[in-house]
Amino acid sequence: MSERRSSESGFPIKGVYTAGDLPDDLDARLGAPGEFPYTRGVYPTMYTSRPWTMRQYAGFGTATESNARYHQLLRAGTMGLSVAFDLPTQMGYDSDDPIAHGEVGKVGVAIDSIEDMRLLFDGIPLDKVSTSMTINAPGSVLLLLYQLVAEENGVPGSALNGTIQNDILKEYIARGTYIFPPKPSLRLVADTFGYCRKEVPKWNTISISGYHMAEAGASPAQEIAFTLANGVEYVRAALAAGLAVDDFAPRLSFFFVARTTLLEEVAKFRAARRIWARLMRDEFGAKNPKSMMLRFHTQTAGVQLTAQQPEVNLVRVAVQGLAAVLGGTQSLHTNSFDEAIALPTEKAARLALRTQQVLAYETDLTATVDPFAGSYVVEAMTAEIEEAATGLMDRVFEYGSAVDAIEAGFQKREIEQSAYRIAQEIDSGERVVVGLNRFQIDEEEPYEPLRVDPAIEAAQAERLAELRRTRDAGAVQRALAELRAAASGTENVLYPMKEALRARATIGEVCGTLREVWGQYRPSDRF
């Protein structure tokens, strides 16, 4: 039993809660399911009419290998695909760039051009699946490649469903896969909003992410405070670009973590919905109810998985998934039990999906909406997290904006302090991690992880060489020149970018062209 008596966000947890712990205005804070302020869920029926979208994050090695895994997952009952990209792709470099050496295909699939994207989604009905792509700085590039492949298969942009993460601000705070300085990066985000409104109207243009901040050590209150503050920055950028709030806000989505601290996580999700609804209505004047709905994807907490006794992670993931469902997520990825060791094996990925299917089809979770509504402890925690998160957001905005606070290092410092506190608690044994600092075993059972073939890098380099030999080099250069001109002016860059990719320009060439115009951000730079 854990000795801790305080929440992850720092407020004390009582042994007993009563009606006296509830907010005086509880009815106004709750509302009905599907109605402002959406505390009880963004849809009136939630899972009683259909379960959440079950996703599995996959992608490794080559596009062909990843495509085979996607087909396996779809046969196993996955309802949506989530694509992981390798680091060179995330950073806008081709696989044969010297800086990519040793990283090709390691933490996700290598995508260099439209040819790789064709292989990645070969035989997959893009008008029938929902695809989430964890890609940020070059998010617009990968979206356009996806759209081009769909069009080649007779699927128009109007039929595509999915999400690109496209959240650059959290990269400066917690993750580091940025390319350009913040100002042009925000322009690229706004251009994506405008492009998708016209060309891919059902696509979620951004997944504003707290997950990576949580993985870096952010508390639940910090996670939603800094995520929603970033959301405010994106809304302001879109408005400054001339978009009307109700034209783009319905396609905003969010991405959060689900930890093993189930009660606080449920409260966190409920508080986040309430804060966002009020921000969109009261600060930005949104009229469309969909503009006020905080819709989000959840992934179970990878940082809480252990390499020691990895099978115990199956239990952790089940609890984390339960927290996400009770909190009202719209889609869910459950981590595989072996992800603390290496990329998940096929069996481990299938077990992670089966965890979601048990929750959806063998429990009574889908029989009623917001099961914890009115719970003394959850309602009290929801109010406490709401207060803590709004207080942190106020501190962010004291700097002027989320970007100004990032420049001052505020969010990063706060998260680092939280991470240090967690590490101290684990080291001292105050925070119990089963199998790590308590209930250890003398000898671990052998485990054979999935390994990525190092020959992939050479194979990708050969594919790129063949691409460059066989394409129309003049057409590529003309298309890149059009992209350069658009980036230098005020035109939406996605239109010339799409034509460059259609001409078989590589991701590295497209991002390199933008680097020439916009520059490349380094941590020592001032904004």
Side-chain angles (χ1 to χ4, degrees), residues 23 28 44 47 67 75 83 93 119 136-137 207 266 282 286 295 303 328 348 362 426 435 469:
Y47 312 135
N67 176 264
R75 286 193 296 271
V83 186
Y93 292 107
L119 291 174
N136 293 283
S207 180
V266 172
D282 300 341
R295 297 169 302 111
V303 74
E362 292 192 20
I426 292 172
R469 279 195 300 270

Side-chain angles (χ1 to χ4, degrees), residues 54-315:
M54 299 179 195
R55 297 188 183 279
Q56 284 307 112
Y57 189 49
F60 56 92
T62 66
T64 300
E65 290 174 309
S66 295
N67 176 264
R69 174 63 64 86
Y70 295 152
H71 282 284
Q72 291 164 355
L73 289 169
L74 289 170
R75 286 193 296 271
T78 293
M79 299 152 63
L81 300 175
S82 292
V83 186
F85 297 95
D86 70 357
L87 280 175
T89 304
Q90 292 181 49
M91 299 297 290
Y93 292 107
D94 291 332
S95 295
D96 60 355
D97 192 297
I99 202 171
H101 179 62
E103 292 294 341
V104 177
K106 285 288 179 68
V107 298
V109 62
I111 298 293
D112 292 313
S113 73
I114 191 171
E115 295 191 354
D116 289 326
M117 193 63 101
R118 288 179 187 134
L119 291 174
L120 184 63
F121 289 103
D122 183 45
I124 293 174
L126 298 186
D127 56 342
K128 302 285 195 304
V129 300
S130 171
T131 302
S132 175
M133 293 188 275
T134 304
I135 193 75
N136 293 283
S140 55
V141 184
L142 275 298
L143 169 62
L144 293 172
L145 287 174
Y146 187 84
Q147 184 190 9
L148 285 166
V149 169
E151 289 174 352
E152 290 176 350
N153 288 278
V155 179
S158 59
L160 297 178
N161 282 285
T163 304
I164 44 172
Q165 194 162 101
N166 200 29
D167 174 9
I168 198 62
L169 292 181
K170 66 95 173 47
E171 297 296 326
Y172 303 116
I173 295 172
R175 195 161 175 270
T177 60
Y178 39 70
I179 300 175
F180 317 112
K183 188 173 181 180
S185 293
L186 286 172
R187 174 200 167 170
L188 188 54
V189 170
D191 279 359
T192 305
F193 290 174
Y195 176 87
C196 286
R197 177 174 175 258
K198 293 179 180 178
E199 310 295 341
V200 198
K202 292 192 285 187
W203 197 266
N204 297 313
T205 50
I206 192 168
S207 180
I208 306 164
S209 176
Y211 182 88
H212 306 93
M213 290 186 271
E215 292 284 281
S219 70
Q222 290 174 337
E223 178 192 356
I224 63 170
F226 299 152
T227 303
L228 299 187
N230 286 349
V232 167
E233 192 76 7
Y234 292 124
V235 172
R236 289 174 176 169
L239 294 173
L243 300 175
V245 66
D246 286 323
D247 286 342
F248 66 86
R251 303 317 308 172
L252 302 179
S253 65
F254 292 80
F255 175 26
F256 295 116
V257 78
R259 302 170 180 81
T260 52
T261 44
L262 186 148
L263 295 177
E264 187 176 6
E265 291 298 284
V266 172
K268 175 192 78 179
F269 295 130
R270 299 168 90 250
R273 278 195 294 271
R274 196 151 73 204
I275 295 169
W276 186 248
R278 288 176 174 159
L279 272 171
M280 294 305 292
R281 185 191 69 175
D282 300 341
E283 182 168 340
F284 295 110
K287 305 296 183 188
N288 185 346
K290 291 183 178 179
S291 298
M292 308 174 207
M293 294 179 185
L294 183 140
R295 297 169 302 111
F296 62 94
H297 169 69
T298 308
Q299 182 173 336
T300 55
V303 74
Q304 291 187 320
L305 303 184
T306 62
Q308 297 82 6
Q309 301 180 48
E311 294 84 356
V312 178
N313 294 328
L314 287 164
V315 183

